């Protein structure tokens, strides 16, 4: 049904004909013209007339034009005189139409405009993101990563996208990374404080995330397998309002990782077992590493930085564990951190040198 002087399209029923209800109008006072394309549409219209006017005896009958027509009989001051419809291309006269309340029309128009605006907003947002990706990649010399599904993360000369921009004149030292779901599942990373362990592990997580959201990455080349989740246990903080010490916060984070990680996840563990005695801390750190490597539910790609040098023994006892460390150069009484990841563990952290 459409009020012909509004320019609104005819509402269609399931059979291609007119229906009894349409956007912006309802049955009531006499309108201009209506086309009802099927008998089903007419029946619906008659029913709607009766429901609208509260009169149960609304009837339809044939007209005198030779086509199939109908009129509506009601006893009300808001009289609906006639209902016409078309079958086989025959247009017949009038139906009662009453404009809906102005507020209803306004709300319907606003909803239609909102749909258009949301589509436009999403398109503009997508263009904005892609342009930002492109300009950043060109400016900072990022490369297109190869996305894979074999579980391998192979990054050559990877860089931290934030730290490298904050160094000023100092040169950021890039590092390689290779982890998979088989013989290189877990990297145990040892070395002194402030040598770059945390930066290295976080850059691996960031590069993996950047690749999966469609960005180029800070590296000379990168093959990134899709991960379902990235878990991190980094830093040290307490939650005194909840009655949790630094140690309890750390244990809660580790517990959450062990419960929710899958073989397709990437896990970053930056120190586990701090805030308690050395013996307890070593025991906790070793138990976590062993559980991740041996559990059928886990076995996920893991970077594990620690000052517990006892953990480097795991390379000999657990399949999939590899030792890495931060290269250090000693010259007399001075120590220089080279910030380069090399194979093999170390047995000192230079905390008192």
């Amino acid at each position: 049904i459409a009020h012909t002087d509004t320019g609104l399209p005819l509402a269609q029923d399931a059979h291609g004909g007119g229906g009894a209800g349409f956007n912006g109008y309802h049955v009531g006072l006499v309108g201009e013209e209506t086309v009802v394309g099927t008998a089903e549409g007419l029946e619906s219209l008659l029913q709607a007339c009766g429901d609208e006017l509260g009169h149960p005896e609304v009837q339809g009958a044939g007209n005198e034009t030779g086509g199939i027509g109908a009129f509506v009989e009601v006893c009300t001051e808001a009289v609906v005189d006639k209902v016409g419809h078309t079958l086989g291309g025959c247009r017949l006269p009038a139906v009662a139409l009453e404009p809906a309340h102005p507020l209803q029309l306004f709300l319907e128009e606003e909803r239609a405009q909102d749909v258009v605006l949301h589509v436009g907003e999403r398109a503009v947002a997508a263009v904005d993101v892609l342009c930002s990706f492109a300009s950043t990649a060109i400016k900072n010399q990022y490369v297109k990563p190869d996305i894979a599904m074999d579980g391998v993360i192979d990054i050559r000369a990877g860089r931290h996208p934030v730290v490298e921009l904050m160094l000023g004149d100092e040169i950021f030292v890039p590092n390689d990374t290779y982890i998979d779901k088989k013989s290189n599942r877990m990297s145990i990373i040892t070395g002194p404080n402030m040598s770059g362990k945390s930066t290295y592990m976080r850059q691996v997580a960031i590069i993996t995330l950047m690749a999966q959201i469609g960005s180029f990455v800070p590296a000379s080349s990168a093959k990134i397998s899709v991960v379902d989740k990235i878990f991190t246990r980094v830093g040290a903080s307490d939650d005194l309002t909840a009655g949790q010490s630094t140690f309890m916060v750390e244990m809660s984070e580790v517990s959450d990782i062990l419960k929710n990680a899958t073989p397709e996840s990437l896990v970053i563990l930056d120190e586990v077992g701090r805030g308690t005695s050395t013996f307890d801390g070593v025991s906790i750190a070793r138990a976590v590493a062993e559980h991740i490597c041996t559990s059928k539910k886990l076995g996920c790609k893991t970077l594990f930085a620690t000052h517990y040098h006892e953990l480097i023994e795991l390379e000999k006892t657990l399949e999939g564990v590899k030792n890495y460390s931060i290269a250090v150069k000693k010259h007399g009484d001075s120590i220089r951190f080279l910030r380069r990841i090399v194979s093999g563990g170390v047995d000192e952290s230079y905390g008192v040198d």
Side-chain angles (χ1 to χ4, degrees), residues 214-229:
S215 172
F216 281 25
V217 299
S220 62
S221 67
K223 174 184 176 181
I224 307 295
S225 289
V226 174
V227 299
D228 60 357
K229 304 169 188 174

Side-chain angles (χ1 to χ4, degrees), residues 14 30 41 66 78 98 109 117 148 168 174 185 234 240 247 253 333 349:
V30 175
E98 178 184 348
E109 182 178 354
L117 287 175
R185 293 195 302 273
V234 299
L240 297 181
F247 175 71
E253 293 173 349
D333 294 333
S349 294

Side-chain angles (χ1 to χ4, degrees), residues 112-159:
Q113 291 178 354
D114 284 345
V115 171
V116 176
L117 287 175
H118 288 326
V119 172
E121 288 168 357
R122 287 194 293 269
V124 171
V127 171
D128 180 44
V129 170
L130 295 176
C131 287
S132 297
F133 283 170
S135 63
T136 302
I138 294 172
K139 180 179 178 180
N140 299 322
Q141 298 180 338
Y142 293 176
V143 299
K144 179 183 177 182
D146 295 325
I147 305 300
M149 298 297 293
D150 59 4
V152 173
I153 294 179
D154 186 3
I155 302 170
R156 301 299 176 182
R159 314 186 307 273

Side-chain angles (χ1 to χ4, degrees), residues 13-293:
D13 63 20
H15 302 283
F22 57 95
N23 186 23
Y25 289 84
H26 61 85
V27 177
L29 301 178
V30 175
E32 301 298 324
E33 182 179 43
T34 289
V35 175
V36 180
T38 66
E40 291 85 356
L42 175 60
E43 291 176 1
S44 297
L45 178 61
L46 295 177
Q47 180 64 44
C49 289
D51 293 342
E52 181 71 15
L53 299 174
H55 195 292
E57 298 180 1
V58 179
Q59 299 179 4
N63 62 24
E64 300 176 357
T65 65
I68 300 176
F71 60 88
V72 177
E73 295 181 351
V74 296
C75 296
T76 176
E77 292 182 358
V79 177
V80 178
D81 290 320
K82 291 183 179 180
V83 175
H85 74 293
T86 296
L87 286 178
C90 180
R91 182 180 294 269
L92 299 170
V95 68
L97 298 175
E98 178 184 348
H101 192 281
L103 178 59
Q104 179 185 352
L105 293 177
F106 172 77
L107 293 176
E108 291 175 351
E109 182 178 354
E110 287 296 305
R111 283 195 293 268
Q113 291 178 354
D114 284 345
V115 171
V116 176
L117 287 175
H118 288 326
V119 172
E121 288 168 357
R122 287 194 293 269
V124 171
V127 171
D128 180 44
V129 170
L130 295 176
C131 287
S132 297
F133 283 170
S135 63
T136 302
I138 294 172
K139 180 179 178 180
N140 299 322
Q141 298 180 338
Y142 293 176
V143 299
K144 179 183 177 182
D146 295 325
I147 305 300
M149 298 297 293
D150 59 4
V152 173
I153 294 179
D154 186 3
I155 302 170
R156 301 299 176 182
R159 314 186 307 273
H160 194 295
V162 177
V163 174
E164 72 167 342
L165 299 180
M166 299 176 64
L167 294 180
D169 296 332
E170 187 177 351
I171 297 176
F172 186 92
V173 178
N175 278 293
D176 298 343
T177 302
Y178 185 90
I179 47 178
D180 57 31
K181 296 193 296 184
K182 297 179 180 179
S183 59
N184 296 275
R185 293 195 302 273
M186 177 176 287
S187 298
I188 301 291
I189 305 168
T190 51
N193 280 317
M194 303 299 294
S195 60
K197 299 190 303 297
S198 297
T199 300
Y200 168 71
M201 293 193 301
R202 295 181 193 198
Q203 80 184 32
V204 173
I206 293 173
I207 288 173
T208 301
L209 179 61
M210 291 175 67
Q212 288 198 201
I213 65 174
S215 172
F216 281 25
V217 299
S220 62
S221 67
K223 174 184 176 181
I224 307 295
S225 289
V226 174
V227 299
D228 60 357
K229 304 169 188 174
I230 298 176
F231 292 96
T232 62
R233 210 253 47 90
V234 299
S237 62
D238 56 35
D239 188 358
L240 297 181
T241 58
Q244 290 193 323
S245 64
T246 301
F247 175 71
M248 286 305 300
V249 169
E250 177 185 306
M251 291 298 98
S252 296
E253 293 173 349
V254 171
S255 175
D256 182 68
I257 292 172
L258 298 182
K259 288 179 181 178
N260 296 293
T262 75
E264 305 301 325
S265 300
L266 173 63
V267 175
I268 306 297
L269 298 175
D270 191 358
E271 301 291 345
V272 171
R274 297 177 299 180
T276 185
S277 69
T278 301
F279 181 79
D280 288 350
V282 171
S283 299
I284 292 170
R286 183 174 185 126
V288 170
E290 290 178 344
H291 181 70
I292 291 175
C293 283

Side-chain angles (χ1 to χ4, degrees), residues 3-14:
H3 209 290
T4 56
D5 60 1
T6 65
L8 295 173
L10 292 175
Q12 299 291 313
D13 63 20

Side-chain angles (χ1 to χ4, degrees), residues 328-345:
V328 175
K329 184 176 182 179
K330 297 185 68 174
H331 182 72
D333 294 333
S334 65
I335 300 173
R336 181 183 178 190
F337 301 150
L338 302 182
R339 311 199 186 281
R340 175 75 66 183
I341 297 291
V342 295
S343 296

